[in-house]
Amino acid sequence: MSSSHHRSGVWVQKNKTHKNGQHKSKGELRTEQKGRTVQGGQFRKGKKSIVTKNDRRNRRSQRRALNQLLTLQEKQKFESTPLDVTIVSTSPLINVQNFLDLFRDFEEHEDIEMSEDCNKPDKSIHKVSMKFPRWKISLNFRVADMNDLWNTLDLAKIADLVIFLYDPFEEVSAETEDLLSSLLGQGLPAVVHCLYIELEKDQNAQVFLKEKSEVKKNVIKRIKAWFPDPHVDFVSGNADMSSFLFRLSTVRPASVEYREMRPYMISTAVERVNPEDQSQSGSVRISGIVKGGTLDVNGVVHVLGYGDFLLSEVIIHERADNQKGKRQKDAVSAGDRTLTANPADQPSLKPEEEIEMEDSATNSQLDAASVAMSKKRLMKTVPKGTSNYQAAWIVDDDEKEVEDDGAEVNTESDEEDVDMNKEQMEADGNSLEDNDTVSEVEKNSEMDLEQIDMSEDADGYDSRLKEQDEAAAYAQMKKRLQDRMFPDEIDTPLDTPARIRFFKYRGLDDFRSANWDAEENLPREYAQVSRFSNMKSSKKAALNFANRTAVEPFNTATVVLRDAPLSMADTTSSLVVYGLLLHEHSMTVVNMSVKRISGFEAPVRSGQELVFQVGFRRFKAKALFSELSAGKLHKFLRFMPEEEHFVISVYAPITFPPAPVLVYKDSEAGKVELIAKGSVLSLDPSRVVLKRVVLSGHPFKINVRSAVIRFMFFNTEDVNWFRKVKLTTKNGRVGEIKEPLGTHGHMKCRFDGQLQSSDTVLMKLYKRVFPKWTYTPLENGK
């Protein structure tokens, strides 16, 4: 039987294939991908749009036009309001008033509109306002007092432009260096460096003119440590004023972020709402131009030197461009707009519950006996003409301590009164046979005797030296050196059981990865502080003025303070009003990241009272030092580090970052010394700072991995109490306590390797520490 194969004919049915268009099907894509992940949007439908050359040209022109419009609007804002210029003289030899006379006596003075404020009792210039139509600028000059640090910082804080005047023939002093460090630490707006010389008075003027370029280079080298790439302008007379004014007209104020976040206003007029009111507090009206951010009528304002206040109303004045050279009227005109505050939307400024603070009066009082001893002087009887140095080598039995009131206190017995010269001759065996000679010698010696005050040297150096301060500084230096050599190591007390002395401490297996409940055992002060669940979102909400009654910047306004001290209206200087953001009147724990400045080497102990300037606030508080680390737990520092950054935690009002921080230390003569600067790190009361103590012991007997340790504890109960705490050694061994031996604190321990006899066994214990509630605002610059 033969096999046959069927062949289909031409009329057989043929089905059409699936038409998937010009793209691949999902199955084909999965097959090609072979499990690889494809980014979204890679296979978009439609053709890719092609940008032509004309389109790119049009986009560039549109962006350029938009930038020009924004720049023009910003320029118009600054041209419509005068620039506040602060003049800082770096040398006491520079006469700033003569520098201002160059503006007054400019050759084109007919085009200058000028007005001066002489509000101070000594008739000195408080503010000079000038308008230069040719250069389209209006300037309000204010001169900083170099002897008043706070005044200089406050004027630079609200200035749009700072002019530094340099003397070409004088080096920068140490006081000026500290001032420049403080100004740079708080942030500077636009800066102009001016090399000022008076040709008529300076004898070296001709030499300076010949070598002007070299002197300029020397000045640039001098200030390059603070200003990396400075441009120095030369001003010596009217011939240089035209180019200098052009320089001022081209400088635009730099943006200082912490200042631009908040509205601020410099007072042009301050008065009482009710002049007949004789009470201590009432309503005060302050007028000025609002700059920076947006002013909330229902918010809180801070007046430098006086504190926080609420507003009752704000009057926005209509721009009066036709009143050139005239002071803005305080009276409300028809075009003015009044915004009234709503008391229901305003926060409460009532003082919170007082916190009991440690009584430091007993620590600061001196013992009466020590004061009396410090006032006594040591008197010695010596021949006339004897110097203090020679008298120090003479042994005198009649040394007496004389008090300041003249009363004598004998240091030795006064029963025997023997002549010093006669005793010396008898001791040497030299006897005088002639009685007349003896009497003559005694008479001469009695005539030549005098009393010398041995308590101080000739130049009075010892009287100016304070022994108690010297002893305290030496003790601090010794403690810092000991803490550097043996960090956190302390001796176990002999009179107090270790389980009682370190009851609040606990051991941690790993400091960096350990967990610590931030809500346990909180002090009573934490009931007064505010906390943020998310500080960034809270800051964003504080900067949102969409639903608030607010005043836009660059508007002339008058704010009426409620319950303000009426003495504020009697001040002779300009007031600076800052508008606070939401919640910035509440207290919290402010953590600041700072670094010690170079040149300051004195030890500063944690818990010492320091002066802080955080943003626009200035206050005193006791500092809590800790490490700047990325973990959840942060180690407490007993002394301020020398090189690396660290964190200072204090109780203070909320100040949203970024905000500059300056730290000062009180010194003699009522002055302060800059010791550190940095910025606000966080507003976090839950930041855990742990104080570490290290107990040390020494190997007594070593048997391979086991060893008997002594001198860490001194009784069996303490060994059993700390039995679960891990042990470490300085050579890197890790161990544990197995059992106590005897009753004198010896304990058997086991380690991960054999100990060396020279090794030291350590036990690290930790407890959480908190800052002290010692916040004291500095009022009126004090």
PDB file of all heavy atoms in Angstrom, residues 516-520 522 526 529-533 588-591 631-634 649 682-690 768-771:
ATOM      1  N   TRP A 516      18.429  54.730  73.745  1.00  0.00           N
ATOM      2  CA  TRP A 516      18.184  55.463  74.995  1.00  0.00           C
ATOM      3  C   TRP A 516      16.850  56.182  74.843  1.00  0.00           C
ATOM      4  O   TRP A 516      16.675  56.978  73.915  1.00  0.00           O
ATOM      5  CB  TRP A 516      19.310  56.453  75.264  1.00  0.00           C
ATOM      6  CG  TRP A 516      19.323  56.987  76.666  1.00  0.00           C
ATOM      7  CD1 TRP A 516      18.410  57.818  77.236  1.00  0.00           C
ATOM      8  CD2 TRP A 516      20.296  56.712  77.675  1.00  0.00           C
ATOM      9  NE1 TRP A 516      18.732  58.083  78.532  1.00  0.00           N
ATOM     10  CE2 TRP A 516      19.895  57.426  78.835  1.00  0.00           C
ATOM     11  CE3 TRP A 516      21.452  55.952  77.727  1.00  0.00           C
ATOM     12  CZ2 TRP A 516      20.621  57.403  80.008  1.00  0.00           C
ATOM     13  CZ3 TRP A 516      22.177  55.931  78.901  1.00  0.00           C
ATOM     14  CH2 TRP A 516      21.764  56.634  80.025  1.00  0.00           C
ATOM     15  N   ASP A 517      15.940  55.915  75.737  1.00  0.00           N
ATOM     16  CA  ASP A 517      14.621  56.529  75.683  1.00  0.00           C
ATOM     17  C   ASP A 517      14.754  58.016  76.003  1.00  0.00           C
ATOM     18  O   ASP A 517      15.142  58.393  77.114  1.00  0.00           O
ATOM     19  CB  ASP A 517      13.676  55.850  76.674  1.00  0.00           C
ATOM     20  CG  ASP A 517      12.233  56.325  76.517  1.00  0.00           C
ATOM     21  OD1 ASP A 517      11.973  57.126  75.588  1.00  0.00           O
ATOM     22  OD2 ASP A 517      11.377  55.900  77.311  1.00  0.00           O
ATOM     23  N   ALA A 518      14.427  58.857  75.026  1.00  0.00           N
ATOM     24  CA  ALA A 518      14.576  60.306  75.201  1.00  0.00           C
ATOM     25  C   ALA A 518      13.484  60.910  76.066  1.00  0.00           C
ATOM     26  O   ALA A 518      13.558  62.097  76.391  1.00  0.00           O
ATOM     27  CB  ALA A 518      14.592  60.997  73.835  1.00  0.00           C
ATOM     28  N   GLU A 519      12.471  60.144  76.447  1.00  0.00           N
ATOM     29  CA  GLU A 519      11.353  60.680  77.218  1.00  0.00           C
ATOM     30  C   GLU A 519      11.380  60.285  78.686  1.00  0.00           C
ATOM     31  O   GLU A 519      10.477  60.637  79.430  1.00  0.00           O
ATOM     32  CB  GLU A 519      10.022  60.206  76.604  1.00  0.00           C
ATOM     33  CG  GLU A 519       9.834  60.593  75.148  1.00  0.00           C
ATOM     34  CD  GLU A 519       9.785  62.098  74.953  1.00  0.00           C
ATOM     35  OE1 GLU A 519       9.339  62.787  75.892  1.00  0.00           O
ATOM     36  OE2 GLU A 519      10.188  62.564  73.881  1.00  0.00           O
ATOM     37  N   GLU A 520      12.388  59.556  79.113  1.00  0.00           N
ATOM     38  CA  GLU A 520      12.427  59.098  80.495  1.00  0.00           C
ATOM     39  C   GLU A 520      13.222  60.061  81.375  1.00  0.00           C
ATOM     40  O   GLU A 520      14.211  60.663  80.942  1.00  0.00           O
ATOM     41  CB  GLU A 520      13.040  57.689  80.577  1.00  0.00           C
ATOM     42  CG  GLU A 520      14.501  57.616  80.199  1.00  0.00           C
ATOM     43  CD  GLU A 520      15.078  56.245  80.449  1.00  0.00           C
ATOM     44  OE1 GLU A 520      14.490  55.496  81.246  1.00  0.00           O
ATOM     45  OE2 GLU A 520      16.129  55.926  79.860  1.00  0.00           O
ATOM     46  N   LEU A 522      12.772  63.072  82.584  1.00  0.00           N
ATOM     47  CA  LEU A 522      12.984  64.434  82.106  1.00  0.00           C
ATOM     48  C   LEU A 522      12.913  65.413  83.271  1.00  0.00           C
ATOM     49  O   LEU A 522      12.145  65.212  84.219  1.00  0.00           O
ATOM     50  CB  LEU A 522      11.929  64.799  81.059  1.00  0.00           C
ATOM     51  CG  LEU A 522      11.953  63.993  79.763  1.00  0.00           C
ATOM     52  CD1 LEU A 522      10.828  64.450  78.846  1.00  0.00           C
ATOM     53  CD2 LEU A 522      13.291  64.110  79.062  1.00  0.00           C
ATOM     54  N   TYR A 526      11.460  70.793  81.300  1.00  0.00           N
ATOM     55  CA  TYR A 526      10.959  70.356  80.006  1.00  0.00           C
ATOM     56  C   TYR A 526       9.457  70.575  79.859  1.00  0.00           C
ATOM     57  O   TYR A 526       8.926  70.468  78.749  1.00  0.00           O
ATOM     58  CB  TYR A 526      11.301  68.883  79.780  1.00  0.00           C
ATOM     59  CG  TYR A 526      12.598  68.691  79.010  1.00  0.00           C
ATOM     60  CD1 TYR A 526      13.763  69.319  79.437  1.00  0.00           C
ATOM     61  CD2 TYR A 526      12.653  67.920  77.865  1.00  0.00           C
ATOM     62  CE1 TYR A 526      14.950  69.164  78.758  1.00  0.00           C
ATOM     63  CE2 TYR A 526      13.836  67.761  77.163  1.00  0.00           C
ATOM     64  CZ  TYR A 526      14.981  68.385  77.617  1.00  0.00           C
ATOM     65  OH  TYR A 526      16.151  68.243  76.919  1.00  0.00           O
ATOM     66  N   VAL A 529       9.127  73.921  77.701  1.00  0.00           N
ATOM     67  CA  VAL A 529       9.718  74.074  76.377  1.00  0.00           C
ATOM     68  C   VAL A 529       8.758  73.574  75.307  1.00  0.00           C
ATOM     69  O   VAL A 529       7.857  72.759  75.568  1.00  0.00           O
ATOM     70  CB  VAL A 529      11.061  73.317  76.275  1.00  0.00           C
ATOM     71  CG1 VAL A 529      12.042  73.837  77.296  1.00  0.00           C
ATOM     72  CG2 VAL A 529      10.865  71.816  76.440  1.00  0.00           C
ATOM     73  N   SER A 530       8.962  74.074  74.094  1.00  0.00           N
ATOM     74  CA  SER A 530       8.164  73.664  72.934  1.00  0.00           C
ATOM     75  C   SER A 530       8.957  72.664  72.107  1.00  0.00           C
ATOM     76  O   SER A 530      10.185  72.756  72.019  1.00  0.00           O
ATOM     77  CB  SER A 530       7.809  74.880  72.071  1.00  0.00           C
ATOM     78  OG  SER A 530       7.078  75.828  72.817  1.00  0.00           O
ATOM     79  N   ARG A 531       8.231  71.740  71.481  1.00  0.00           N
ATOM     80  CA  ARG A 531       8.870  70.703  70.670  1.00  0.00           C
ATOM     81  C   ARG A 531       8.189  70.664  69.305  1.00  0.00           C
ATOM     82  O   ARG A 531       7.001  70.950  69.171  1.00  0.00           O
ATOM     83  CB  ARG A 531       8.771  69.336  71.345  1.00  0.00           C
ATOM     84  CG  ARG A 531       9.226  69.333  72.790  1.00  0.00           C
ATOM     85  CD  ARG A 531       9.148  67.960  73.407  1.00  0.00           C
ATOM     86  NE  ARG A 531       9.329  68.012  74.844  1.00  0.00           N
ATOM     87  CZ  ARG A 531       9.371  66.945  75.632  1.00  0.00           C
ATOM     88  NH1 ARG A 531       9.219  65.745  75.123  1.00  0.00           N
ATOM     89  NH2 ARG A 531       9.555  67.077  76.930  1.00  0.00           N
ATOM     90  N   PHE A 532       8.968  70.265  68.299  1.00  0.00           N
ATOM     91  CA  PHE A 532       8.473  70.139  66.932  1.00  0.00           C
ATOM     92  C   PHE A 532       8.521  68.675  66.523  1.00  0.00           C
ATOM     93  O   PHE A 532       9.541  68.005  66.718  1.00  0.00           O
ATOM     94  CB  PHE A 532       9.320  70.957  65.958  1.00  0.00           C
ATOM     95  CG  PHE A 532       9.288  72.442  66.214  1.00  0.00           C
ATOM     96  CD1 PHE A 532      10.370  73.090  66.781  1.00  0.00           C
ATOM     97  CD2 PHE A 532       8.172  73.179  65.882  1.00  0.00           C
ATOM     98  CE1 PHE A 532      10.342  74.449  67.012  1.00  0.00           C
ATOM     99  CE2 PHE A 532       8.129  74.545  66.114  1.00  0.00           C
ATOM    100  CZ  PHE A 532       9.218  75.178  66.676  1.00  0.00           C
ATOM    101  N   SER A 533       7.422  68.224  65.961  1.00  0.00           N
ATOM    102  CA  SER A 533       7.450  66.886  65.380  1.00  0.00           C
ATOM    103  C   SER A 533       8.246  66.884  64.084  1.00  0.00           C
ATOM    104  O   SER A 533       8.906  65.899  63.743  1.00  0.00           O
ATOM    105  CB  SER A 533       6.020  66.386  65.121  1.00  0.00           C
ATOM    106  OG  SER A 533       5.330  67.284  64.259  1.00  0.00           O
ATOM    107  N   THR A 588      12.695  76.795  74.047  1.00  0.00           N
ATOM    108  CA  THR A 588      13.031  75.430  73.683  1.00  0.00           C
ATOM    109  C   THR A 588      14.505  75.201  73.981  1.00  0.00           C
ATOM    110  O   THR A 588      15.189  76.089  74.521  1.00  0.00           O
ATOM    111  CB  THR A 588      12.716  75.160  72.197  1.00  0.00           C
ATOM    112  OG1 THR A 588      12.868  73.767  71.931  1.00  0.00           O
ATOM    113  CG2 THR A 588      13.647  75.945  71.306  1.00  0.00           C
ATOM    114  N   VAL A 589      15.006  74.025  73.632  1.00  0.00           N
ATOM    115  CA  VAL A 589      16.435  73.729  73.756  1.00  0.00           C
ATOM    116  C   VAL A 589      17.075  73.997  72.403  1.00  0.00           C
ATOM    117  O   VAL A 589      16.780  73.317  71.421  1.00  0.00           O
ATOM    118  CB  VAL A 589      16.671  72.275  74.196  1.00  0.00           C
ATOM    119  CG1 VAL A 589      18.166  71.978  74.257  1.00  0.00           C
ATOM    120  CG2 VAL A 589      16.039  72.021  75.552  1.00  0.00           C
ATOM    121  N   VAL A 590      17.927  75.007  72.340  1.00  0.00           N
ATOM    122  CA  VAL A 590      18.604  75.390  71.108  1.00  0.00           C
ATOM    123  C   VAL A 590      19.969  74.732  71.083  1.00  0.00           C
ATOM    124  O   VAL A 590      20.779  74.920  72.005  1.00  0.00           O
ATOM    125  CB  VAL A 590      18.733  76.921  71.004  1.00  0.00           C
ATOM    126  CG1 VAL A 590      19.430  77.320  69.710  1.00  0.00           C
ATOM    127  CG2 VAL A 590      17.366  77.574  71.087  1.00  0.00           C
ATOM    128  N   ASN A 591      20.225  73.946  70.044  1.00  0.00           N
ATOM    129  CA  ASN A 591      21.513  73.288  69.851  1.00  0.00           C
ATOM    130  C   ASN A 591      22.286  74.041  68.781  1.00  0.00           C
ATOM    131  O   ASN A 591      21.806  74.203  67.657  1.00  0.00           O
ATOM    132  CB  ASN A 591      21.324  71.825  69.436  1.00  0.00           C
ATOM    133  CG  ASN A 591      20.504  71.056  70.443  1.00  0.00           C
ATOM    134  OD1 ASN A 591      20.789  71.070  71.633  1.00  0.00           O
ATOM    135  ND2 ASN A 591      19.455  70.388  69.979  1.00  0.00           N
ATOM    136  N   GLY A 631      25.237  60.157  65.250  1.00  0.00           N
ATOM    137  CA  GLY A 631      24.423  59.141  65.900  1.00  0.00           C
ATOM    138  C   GLY A 631      23.293  59.735  66.716  1.00  0.00           C
ATOM    139  O   GLY A 631      23.054  60.949  66.745  1.00  0.00           O
ATOM    140  N   LYS A 632      22.579  58.851  67.426  1.00  0.00           N
ATOM    141  CA  LYS A 632      21.475  59.281  68.283  1.00  0.00           C
ATOM    142  C   LYS A 632      21.953  59.728  69.656  1.00  0.00           C
ATOM    143  O   LYS A 632      21.268  60.501  70.321  1.00  0.00           O
ATOM    144  CB  LYS A 632      20.464  58.152  68.433  1.00  0.00           C
ATOM    145  CG  LYS A 632      19.803  57.727  67.122  1.00  0.00           C
ATOM    146  CD  LYS A 632      18.812  56.605  67.365  1.00  0.00           C
ATOM    147  CE  LYS A 632      18.154  56.166  66.066  1.00  0.00           C
ATOM    148  NZ  LYS A 632      17.185  55.056  66.279  1.00  0.00           N
ATOM    149  N   LEU A 633      23.093  59.204  70.083  1.00  0.00           N
ATOM    150  CA  LEU A 633      23.647  59.552  71.381  1.00  0.00           C
ATOM    151  C   LEU A 633      24.895  60.406  71.179  1.00  0.00           C
ATOM    152  O   LEU A 633      25.701  60.151  70.270  1.00  0.00           O
ATOM    153  CB  LEU A 633      23.994  58.291  72.177  1.00  0.00           C
ATOM    154  CG  LEU A 633      22.863  57.262  72.334  1.00  0.00           C
ATOM    155  CD1 LEU A 633      23.339  56.081  73.155  1.00  0.00           C
ATOM    156  CD2 LEU A 633      21.637  57.903  72.978  1.00  0.00           C
ATOM    157  N   HIS A 634      25.054  61.414  72.047  1.00  0.00           N
ATOM    158  CA  HIS A 634      26.145  62.364  71.884  1.00  0.00           C
ATOM    159  C   HIS A 634      26.881  62.498  73.219  1.00  0.00           C
ATOM    160  O   HIS A 634      26.245  62.656  74.270  1.00  0.00           O
ATOM    161  CB  HIS A 634      25.621  63.723  71.437  1.00  0.00           C
ATOM    162  CG  HIS A 634      24.690  63.627  70.262  1.00  0.00           C
ATOM    163  ND1 HIS A 634      25.144  63.587  68.960  1.00  0.00           N
ATOM    164  CD2 HIS A 634      23.334  63.542  70.194  1.00  0.00           C
ATOM    165  CE1 HIS A 634      24.109  63.495  68.140  1.00  0.00           C
ATOM    166  NE2 HIS A 634      22.998  63.466  68.865  1.00  0.00           N
ATOM    167  N   SER A 649      24.335  73.425  73.948  1.00  0.00           N
ATOM    168  CA  SER A 649      22.886  73.327  74.172  1.00  0.00           C
ATOM    169  C   SER A 649      22.500  74.255  75.319  1.00  0.00           C
ATOM    170  O   SER A 649      23.114  74.195  76.395  1.00  0.00           O
ATOM    171  CB  SER A 649      22.473  71.888  74.486  1.00  0.00           C
ATOM    172  OG  SER A 649      22.821  71.022  73.425  1.00  0.00           O
ATOM    173  N   SER A 682      19.945  72.804  65.521  1.00  0.00           N
ATOM    174  CA  SER A 682      18.593  72.254  65.597  1.00  0.00           C
ATOM    175  C   SER A 682      17.884  72.836  66.808  1.00  0.00           C
ATOM    176  O   SER A 682      18.509  73.424  67.702  1.00  0.00           O
ATOM    177  CB  SER A 682      18.622  70.721  65.684  1.00  0.00           C
ATOM    178  OG  SER A 682      19.260  70.305  66.885  1.00  0.00           O
ATOM    179  N   LEU A 683      16.565  72.638  66.837  1.00  0.00           N
ATOM    180  CA  LEU A 683      15.724  73.022  67.975  1.00  0.00           C
ATOM    181  C   LEU A 683      15.098  71.739  68.505  1.00  0.00           C
ATOM    182  O   LEU A 683      13.916  71.486  68.333  1.00  0.00           O
ATOM    183  CB  LEU A 683      14.652  74.027  67.541  1.00  0.00           C
ATOM    184  CG  LEU A 683      15.158  75.258  66.773  1.00  0.00           C
ATOM    185  CD1 LEU A 683      13.986  76.067  66.246  1.00  0.00           C
ATOM    186  CD2 LEU A 683      16.035  76.125  67.663  1.00  0.00           C
ATOM    187  N   ASP A 684      15.900  70.925  69.163  1.00  0.00           N
ATOM    188  CA  ASP A 684      15.497  69.565  69.513  1.00  0.00           C
ATOM    189  C   ASP A 684      15.734  69.307  70.992  1.00  0.00           C
ATOM    190  O   ASP A 684      16.877  69.054  71.407  1.00  0.00           O
ATOM    191  CB  ASP A 684      16.290  68.569  68.661  1.00  0.00           C
ATOM    192  CG  ASP A 684      15.795  67.149  68.830  1.00  0.00           C
ATOM    193  OD1 ASP A 684      14.728  66.980  69.442  1.00  0.00           O
ATOM    194  OD2 ASP A 684      16.467  66.220  68.354  1.00  0.00           O
ATOM    195  N   PRO A 685      14.692  69.356  71.831  1.00  0.00           N
ATOM    196  CA  PRO A 685      14.882  69.000  73.244  1.00  0.00           C
ATOM    197  C   PRO A 685      15.166  67.525  73.466  1.00  0.00           C
ATOM    198  O   PRO A 685      15.633  67.146  74.545  1.00  0.00           O
ATOM    199  CB  PRO A 685      13.545  69.402  73.890  1.00  0.00           C
ATOM    200  CG  PRO A 685      12.881  70.311  72.915  1.00  0.00           C
ATOM    201  CD  PRO A 685      13.335  69.856  71.569  1.00  0.00           C
ATOM    202  N   SER A 686      14.874  66.664  72.482  1.00  0.00           N
ATOM    203  CA  SER A 686      15.087  65.225  72.648  1.00  0.00           C
ATOM    204  C   SER A 686      16.497  64.789  72.279  1.00  0.00           C
ATOM    205  O   SER A 686      16.757  63.588  72.218  1.00  0.00           O
ATOM    206  CB  SER A 686      14.071  64.447  71.805  1.00  0.00           C
ATOM    207  OG  SER A 686      14.234  64.743  70.428  1.00  0.00           O
ATOM    208  N   ARG A 687      17.381  65.719  72.017  1.00  0.00           N
ATOM    209  CA  ARG A 687      18.774  65.355  71.734  1.00  0.00           C
ATOM    210  C   ARG A 687      19.419  64.826  73.010  1.00  0.00           C
ATOM    211  O   ARG A 687      19.504  65.520  74.024  1.00  0.00           O
ATOM    212  CB  ARG A 687      19.543  66.569  71.214  1.00  0.00           C
ATOM    213  CG  ARG A 687      20.949  66.247  70.713  1.00  0.00           C
ATOM    214  CD  ARG A 687      21.583  67.494  70.126  1.00  0.00           C
ATOM    215  NE  ARG A 687      22.840  67.196  69.465  1.00  0.00           N
ATOM    216  CZ  ARG A 687      24.026  67.190  70.058  1.00  0.00           C
ATOM    217  NH1 ARG A 687      24.097  67.484  71.356  1.00  0.00           N
ATOM    218  NH2 ARG A 687      25.118  66.896  69.387  1.00  0.00           N
ATOM    219  N   VAL A 688      19.886  63.589  72.967  1.00  0.00           N
ATOM    220  CA  VAL A 688      20.388  62.899  74.152  1.00  0.00           C
ATOM    221  C   VAL A 688      21.879  63.161  74.281  1.00  0.00           C
ATOM    222  O   VAL A 688      22.664  62.809  73.390  1.00  0.00           O
ATOM    223  CB  VAL A 688      20.106  61.385  74.074  1.00  0.00           C
ATOM    224  CG1 VAL A 688      20.646  60.685  75.307  1.00  0.00           C
ATOM    225  CG2 VAL A 688      18.607  61.143  73.913  1.00  0.00           C
ATOM    226  N   VAL A 689      22.264  63.803  75.381  1.00  0.00           N
ATOM    227  CA  VAL A 689      23.666  64.061  75.705  1.00  0.00           C
ATOM    228  C   VAL A 689      24.019  63.215  76.920  1.00  0.00           C
ATOM    229  O   VAL A 689      23.379  63.342  77.971  1.00  0.00           O
ATOM    230  CB  VAL A 689      23.915  65.553  75.979  1.00  0.00           C
ATOM    231  CG1 VAL A 689      25.375  65.791  76.343  1.00  0.00           C
ATOM    232  CG2 VAL A 689      23.526  66.390  74.772  1.00  0.00           C
ATOM    233  N   LEU A 690      25.014  62.355  76.772  1.00  0.00           N
ATOM    234  CA  LEU A 690      25.389  61.423  77.831  1.00  0.00           C
ATOM    235  C   LEU A 690      26.742  61.805  78.413  1.00  0.00           C
ATOM    236  O   LEU A 690      27.709  62.035  77.673  1.00  0.00           O
ATOM    237  CB  LEU A 690      25.454  59.993  77.287  1.00  0.00           C
ATOM    238  CG  LEU A 690      24.150  59.414  76.733  1.00  0.00           C
ATOM    239  CD1 LEU A 690      24.365  57.976  76.295  1.00  0.00           C
ATOM    240  CD2 LEU A 690      23.034  59.496  77.759  1.00  0.00           C
ATOM    241  N   ARG A 768      22.405  60.621  81.401  1.00  0.00           N
ATOM    242  CA  ARG A 768      21.982  61.743  80.575  1.00  0.00           C
ATOM    243  C   ARG A 768      22.046  63.036  81.384  1.00  0.00           C
ATOM    244  O   ARG A 768      21.660  63.065  82.555  1.00  0.00           O
ATOM    245  CB  ARG A 768      20.563  61.513  80.051  1.00  0.00           C
ATOM    246  CG  ARG A 768      20.114  62.577  79.054  1.00  0.00           C
ATOM    247  CD  ARG A 768      18.717  62.326  78.539  1.00  0.00           C
ATOM    248  NE  ARG A 768      18.308  63.359  77.601  1.00  0.00           N
ATOM    249  CZ  ARG A 768      17.108  63.444  77.048  1.00  0.00           C
ATOM    250  NH1 ARG A 768      16.173  62.543  77.342  1.00  0.00           N
ATOM    251  NH2 ARG A 768      16.820  64.409  76.202  1.00  0.00           N
ATOM    252  N   VAL A 769      22.525  64.085  80.726  1.00  0.00           N
ATOM    253  CA  VAL A 769      22.623  65.400  81.358  1.00  0.00           C
ATOM    254  C   VAL A 769      21.797  66.391  80.539  1.00  0.00           C
ATOM    255  O   VAL A 769      21.579  66.204  79.339  1.00  0.00           O
ATOM    256  CB  VAL A 769      24.085  65.871  81.462  1.00  0.00           C
ATOM    257  CG1 VAL A 769      24.849  65.032  82.464  1.00  0.00           C
ATOM    258  CG2 VAL A 769      24.774  65.818  80.100  1.00  0.00           C
ATOM    259  N   PHE A 770      21.346  67.459  81.211  1.00  0.00           N
ATOM    260  CA  PHE A 770      20.497  68.474  80.604  1.00  0.00           C
ATOM    261  C   PHE A 770      21.088  69.848  80.889  1.00  0.00           C
ATOM    262  O   PHE A 770      21.808  70.043  81.881  1.00  0.00           O
ATOM    263  CB  PHE A 770      19.071  68.407  81.168  1.00  0.00           C
ATOM    264  CG  PHE A 770      18.406  67.074  80.992  1.00  0.00           C
ATOM    265  CD1 PHE A 770      18.519  66.082  81.950  1.00  0.00           C
ATOM    266  CD2 PHE A 770      17.650  66.804  79.856  1.00  0.00           C
ATOM    267  CE1 PHE A 770      17.908  64.850  81.791  1.00  0.00           C
ATOM    268  CE2 PHE A 770      17.030  65.583  79.687  1.00  0.00           C
ATOM    269  CZ  PHE A 770      17.165  64.605  80.649  1.00  0.00           C
ATOM    270  N   PRO A 771      20.795  70.825  80.044  1.00  0.00           N
ATOM    271  CA  PRO A 771      21.260  72.195  80.342  1.00  0.00           C
ATOM    272  C   PRO A 771      20.519  72.779  81.532  1.00  0.00           C
ATOM    273  O   PRO A 771      19.464  72.295  81.936  1.00  0.00           O
ATOM    274  CB  PRO A 771      20.949  72.966  79.046  1.00  0.00           C
ATOM    275  CG  PRO A 771      19.879  72.160  78.370  1.00  0.00           C
ATOM    276  CD  PRO A 771      20.112  70.729  78.746  1.00  0.00           C
TER     277      PRO A 771
END
